[in-house]
Amino acid sequence: MLALGATPALADKISVAGENYTPTIWVDPDGCEHWVMDDGVEGYMTPHTNRQGIPVCRRGNPCGVMHSDQFFATNSARISHAGKARLAQFFASTGATAYIIAGHTDSRASDQYNMRLSFNRANAVAAVAASTGARIADVRGYGERSPIASNATAHGMAKNRRVEIICIR
């Protein structure tokens, strides 16, 4: 921060006293945990680097895959009572420090609709997690963009309609 009337050379020598810098932690889409302080200092949470000195990030492997047909009605982001109970038990038993919730759909409907539906379903699961005291690091909706099976068959589409829960330990 440059004080009024200060030159850039003087600005390097000015310090702000009495301010508290609180670190913030987030996980980017590649699974890298970062920290940043209010003064702009940023770093990676993962201390491992490859041979080129680039940080190696934790890849998020799902610790839970919930097939959305078991929890949601067609075209809905509302979780059934039985689904909420199963999810609450899951979050209470995993022992993770935080979670990333990612929603997915099959390829039926438009991309825009599927993106919104997958995000709303992920948010619904995150709300159940938060109600158990779980820390949510991120909520994502991928729509139909990350299929794990072919959308050419009913069985494949059912596999693609899912909510993945990534545990950060």
Side-chain angles (χ1 to χ4, degrees), residues 13-151:
K13 297 177 183 176
I14 296 173
S15 63
V16 179
E19 287 203 26
N20 238 351
Y21 292 120
T22 306
T24 304
I25 299 173
W26 81 92
V27 180
D28 71 14
D30 291 331
C32 296
E33 289 182 342
H34 297 265
W35 59 265
V36 66
M37 293 183 68
D38 292 339
D39 62 356
V41 177
E42 179 183 335
Y44 288 92
M45 295 295 291
T46 307
H48 307 292
T49 58
N50 65 15
R51 291 181 185 183
Q52 290 77 35
I54 299 169
V56 176
C57 302
R58 289 190 237 178
R59 293 290 175 197
N61 292 326
C63 59
V65 176
M66 309 299 177
H67 297 288
S68 61
D69 294 350
Q70 298 170 355
F71 294 96
F72 305 100
T74 302
N75 299 325
S76 172
R78 184 180 221 177
I79 301 175
S80 67
H81 290 295
K84 286 181 182 179
R86 285 181 51 210
L87 285 167
Q89 193 236 348
F90 171 82
F91 286 110
S93 66
T94 61
T97 59
Y99 300 90
I100 298 170
I101 313 293
H104 302 270
T105 66
D106 61 30
S107 62
R108 293 180 295 175
S110 70
D111 181 61
Q112 181 181 6
Y113 179 85
N114 285 336
M115 289 297 288
R116 185 174 56 250
L117 179 61
S118 65
F119 184 69
N120 290 342
R121 286 180 170 180
N123 270 321
V125 171
V128 173
S131 74
T132 67
R135 181 177 166 265
I136 305 302
D138 197 9
V139 178
R140 304 171 183 170
Y142 291 102
E144 62 193 67
R145 297 176 183 181
S146 297
I148 57 170
S150 170
N151 278 302

